Amino acid sequence: MRTTAQVAVQRKEIGPGTITREPINTGKFSKPLARVYIIPERCKECDYCWTFCPNDVLEMSDEINASGYHHPKVKAGKENDCVNCGMCQAVCPEFAIYAKEVA
Amino acid sequence: MISPQVKTGGPVVKVQHHVNDEVIRPERLPNIWCPGCGIGIVVGAYVRAIQKSPIARDRQISISGIGCTGRVSGYLNLDSYHTTHGRAIAFATGMAVARPELEITVIAGDGDLGVIGGNHLIHAARRNVDLNVIMVNNFNYGMTGGQHGGTTPLGAKTHTSPYGNVETPFNIPYLVAAAGASFVARWTAMHVRQVTAAISRMMEVKGFAFMEVLSPCPPTFGEFNGYPDPLDMMNYFKDKAVVDNNADLSGIGVTTHPEDSVVVGNFVDRKRPSYQELLGDLRARVSAQGGAKK
Ligand code: SF4
Ligand code: SF4
Ligand code: SF4
């Protein structure tokens, strides 16, 4: 993430009259980091959470629950990519998944 | 030197409880709905709207009828009511008139609300009874194995219309708006955030607040109409939905044809006196003149 000052420097480098698409207040925000929680026994392997996660954090695991469904897991290498957007929780019909920000 | 602690999201953590469990009855899960059924998504949206709402939890009431969506009340940790087929709105109207301080939400299916209980729906909208009604539309009678009904698109195949449905379905938002509801919306199970926001708004609206939520029903509707996997119908909603809050409601019938768009939005949000308000005024007027004239 860049500070407002860094953005100003970059603008100068690009030259006057060039519009950069960097919002002027990016420095005020930090990207949330969250951990994903699942309740494996509730999952029915509908595919929604891993299909609609906008950051492509999730995938189907090899493990199955008592009903024979594969529940989700975090993709290898994506452990720090969940931004707590809440999409997986919202789209899950089973109350089987949610994310919570890492304190 | 002490190395700074690095924050990490880490792999998935397996737990026993969900952050929404306080509003549901977790001991009854997994629910009975098929994998990918949209009803559970609507319940999740309702639960999160309740968690956000300033209305006390013991004033939130859920009422449902019969059918797949009829099971909703049984999964909610609220005062809830599982009524007879098609009559959810009739029970809800009685409760809303007797106890106007309650925030009553009817969640039921298209067959229950729009067909078997169709008259209750239009007359509650006409009277503008202060209720929230969420109609989960899966385009068929799912629980009984997939029969066609009053919301099945023209030409769609079901077990009882194997050569294609010859009936023109109801365009429910148009019907309810014409009957006089204060609030009318349509979203899909893919539009989870809009569904939650609309429920929050419906809880504020005075008068009849209605939302249709189009929902995937993979085994009994999707299977015969080109959407066999749960994702098929969700992707159709994602790709073909057009948000138009000012849509001409007469032209927003749903075909589920892969080429046809699905118009969604919060179509109507208007001020009209609710049935309870008019009834309260009447009571005040009559008691001011010393009761009914003999
Ligand atoms: S909260 Fe958002 S980013 Fe994180 S896993 Fe769920 S959908 Fe993906
Ligand atoms: S959305 Fe829920 S039920 Fe569907 S695969 Fe993910 S965790 Fe399982
Ligand atoms: S039959 Fe259709 S509506 Fe009923 S639970 Fe299954 S997917 Fe849902």
Side-chain angles (χ1 to χ4, degrees), chain A:
Chain A
M1 194 162 329
R2 290 169 299 165
T3 62
T4 318
Q6 283 168 322
V7 172
V9 169
Q10 189 207 17
R11 284 229 178 87
K12 238 189 198 159
E13 285 165 359
I14 296 169
T18 314
I19 299 166
T20 66
R21 299 177 75 83
E22 185 76 28
I24 54 168
N25 58 351
T26 3
K28 285 192 189 157
F29 297 95
S30 63
K31 195 169 111 184
L33 171 68
R35 192 166 290 159
V36 182
Y37 296 82
I38 59 157
I39 301 145
E41 288 314 312
R42 295 184 189 177
C43 177
K44 290 187 194 151
E45 199 189 317
C46 68
D47 299 339
Y48 294 165
C49 57
W50 54 76
T51 305
F52 298 121
C53 167
N55 254 9
D56 203 17
V57 171
L58 305 168
E59 67 181 349
M60 191 173 86
S61 77
D62 296 330
E63 290 172 46
I64 54 168
N65 63 19
S67 313
Y69 295 119
H70 295 85
H71 52 75
K73 70 169 191 205
V74 172
K75 273 188 185 168
K78 291 276 189 174
E79 290 83 359
N80 294 317
D81 284 358
C82 173
V83 292
N84 201 21
C85 71
M87 187 60 184
C88 53
Q89 181 193 353
V91 86
C92 175
E94 315 292 337
F95 297 99
I97 186 166
Y98 64 96
K100 216 164 135 188
E101 223 171 305
V102 179

